[in-house]
Amino acid sequence: MITRTEQASARKRAAEMLKRAGIVARQEELERIEVADFGLGELDESGVQILTLVDTDEIAAKVLVLFPHQTEPEHRHPPLGDYLGKEETIRCQWGELYLYVPGAPTPEPVASPPAHRKNTYTVWHEHILHPGEQLTFPPNTPHWFQGGPEGAVVWTFSTKAVDIEDIFTDPDIRRKTVVVDG
Amino acid sequence: MITRTEQASARKRAAEMLKRAGIVARQEELERIEVADFGLGELDESGVQILTLVDTDEIAAKVLVLFPHQTEPEHRHPPLGDYLGKEETIRCQWGELYLYVPGAPTPEPVASPPAHRKNTYTVWHEHILHPGEQLTFPPNTPHWFQGGPEGAVVWTFSTKAVDIEDIFTDPDIRRKTVVVDG
C-alpha cells in the first residue's frame, strides 16, 4: 500500500518527467496518473506510474513513467475467454529502458531487480531501449523492465488492456494499489 | 501523383514539424514517412504525411502531419470479412485540428475543404482538437479533417490499419500514391 502523500508526490514527479519528455496531456489526465506499487509498499524499487490516454474495448495507449532504477515486476497478459490476451509494443520516448523477455539469458544484464525479490524474475533476455526504439511481443509473454539511471518515459501501445488480470511471477504481488490516508 | 522532389520536400517539412511537436522517432522511421496525395496531385490542399510507429495484425499507432489548411479527405474504414473495421482515436499533439464526423452539422464550420471538391464532403459535425484533446469513433464512421493555420501533428491509435481498403467519398481519389521521377 501507499499513502495519499506518496501517491501525490509520485504523480507530481511523473508529470514533470512526462513534460520533460515531450508528452502532451491535459491537466485532468495528469491528475489521474495511476501510481502502482503492486501491493509491495516499496514504490521506488517496485512500481510504475501510468498515464492512460486511450483505453477502449479494443486497444490501449498509455505512457509509463519509471523513476531511476524503478522496476515493473515480471508479469504476463494471459488469454481471457475468447481474447488471446494483450499484444504489446513498448517504445521508449525518453531516458533508457532495460526490458527483459524470454530468450537466451544475457550474460551480464544491466538491470538488477530488487535483491530480496530476485528469485521471482525468470526471463533474462535483455533489450536496451533508447528514445525511438521499441519492441513488440505477443500475448502471454513474460516480461519485466527497469528505468535507467535517469528513469524512463515509455509508450505502451496494445490490444485491450485488462490490467487486473495480469499474472505476476512474484506471489506477494497484488495488482490493485491500496491507497491509505497519510 | 507527386514527384520525388515533392515527396522529399514534404517528408522534410513533416519531419521538422514532428520534431517541433516533441515526437521522438529514429532517422529510418522519418525517412519512410508516407506522403499521401490521394491521387489528386494537389498535395498542399488534399494530402497527409504519415509516420507509422506500430503496425501489427492487431493495432496501429501512427502520427499524422497536416500542413496549414491541408485536408485529409472524407473516408471511412469498412468491415473486411470477420474484421469489423478500424476503430480509431485521433489525438492532437501540436497545432489545431478541425475534425468532422456524423452528427448535427455545425452551422459555421471553421474548415473549408478544397472548393472544387466540396460536394464530396458529407459530414459536418465539427470537433476542434487542441493539444491533448482527442476523439474516438467506431469502424465505418465517415470522417475528414484539416490542419489549422499552423498545421497539426496528431496521433492516430487504432485497431488494425488496412489503409488501401479505406473508402473515400470522392470518386477521383486513389489511395495509393504514385511517385514519379522529377
Side-chain angles (χ1 to χ4, degrees), chain A residues 24, chain B residues 17 20-21 47-48 64-72 90-100 108-112 126-134 144-155:
Chain A
V24 172
Chain B
M17 287 177 69
R20 199 188 324 160
V48 67
L64 310 181
V65 178
L66 282 301
F67 298 145
H69 305 299
Q70 191 184 34
T71 303
E72 169 146 346
I90 290 183
R91 178 180 176 92
C92 185
Q93 168 83 8
W94 184 91
E96 197 171 52
L97 190 79
Y98 312 132
L99 171 61
Y100 298 85
E108 296 189 17
V110 178
S112 316
E126 178 176 271
H127 291 262
I128 300 181
L129 302 186
H130 301 102
E133 295 175 344
Q134 67 186 37
W144 62 278
F145 44 85
Q146 186 175 89
E150 296 189 272
V153 175
V154 301
W155 287 93

Side-chain angles (χ1 to χ4, degrees), chain B residues 20-177:
Chain B
R20 199 188 324 160
I23 301 294
V24 173
R26 305 190 307 281
Q27 188 56 31
E28 68 257 36
E29 291 174 321
L30 297 173
E31 283 168 11
R32 54 177 161 75
I33 288 173
E34 181 187 356
V35 177
D37 80 333
F38 304 105
L40 300 176
E42 305 161 348
L43 183 67
D44 283 348
E45 289 175 273
S46 298
V48 67
Q49 294 63 231
I50 307 171
L51 171 68
T52 297
L53 301 183
V54 181
D55 187 20
T56 77
D57 283 346
E58 302 291 337
I59 65 160
K62 306 183 179 198
V63 188
L64 310 181
V65 178
L66 282 301
F67 298 145
H69 305 299
Q70 191 184 34
T71 303
E72 169 146 346
E74 183 176 296
H75 66 286
R76 58 192 171 86
H77 308 294
L80 298 168
D82 290 343
Y83 178 44
L84 292 174
K86 188 168 97 165
E87 175 202 89
E88 187 168 17
T89 297
I90 290 183
R91 178 180 176 92
C92 185
Q93 168 83 8
W94 184 91
E96 197 171 52
L97 190 79
Y98 312 132
L99 171 61
Y100 298 85
V101 292
T106 298
E108 296 189 17
V110 178
S112 316
H116 60 301
R117 303 196 175 275
K118 193 163 180 182
N119 64 336
T120 63
Y121 289 76
T122 69
V123 297
W124 287 94
H125 186 71
E126 178 176 271
H127 291 262
I128 300 181
L129 302 186
H130 301 102
E133 295 175 344
Q134 67 186 37
L135 186 72
T136 299
F137 41 89
N140 220 18
T141 303
H143 60 287
W144 62 278
F145 44 85
Q146 186 175 89
E150 296 189 272
V153 175
V154 301
W155 287 93
T156 158
F157 305 111
S158 72
T159 58
K160 184 178 181 176
V162 194
D163 296 352
I164 200 70
E165 301 289 351
D166 290 350
I167 296 174
F168 286 80
T169 309
D170 185 340
D172 290 347
I173 285 180
R174 301 291 173 269
R175 178 61 183 85
K176 189 169 159 56
T177 301

Side-chain angles (χ1 to χ4, degrees), chain A residues 27-41:
Chain A
Q27 188 57 33
E28 67 258 36
E29 291 174 321
L30 297 172
E31 283 168 10
R32 54 178 161 76
I33 288 173
E34 180 187 355
V35 176
D37 80 333
F38 304 104
L40 300 176

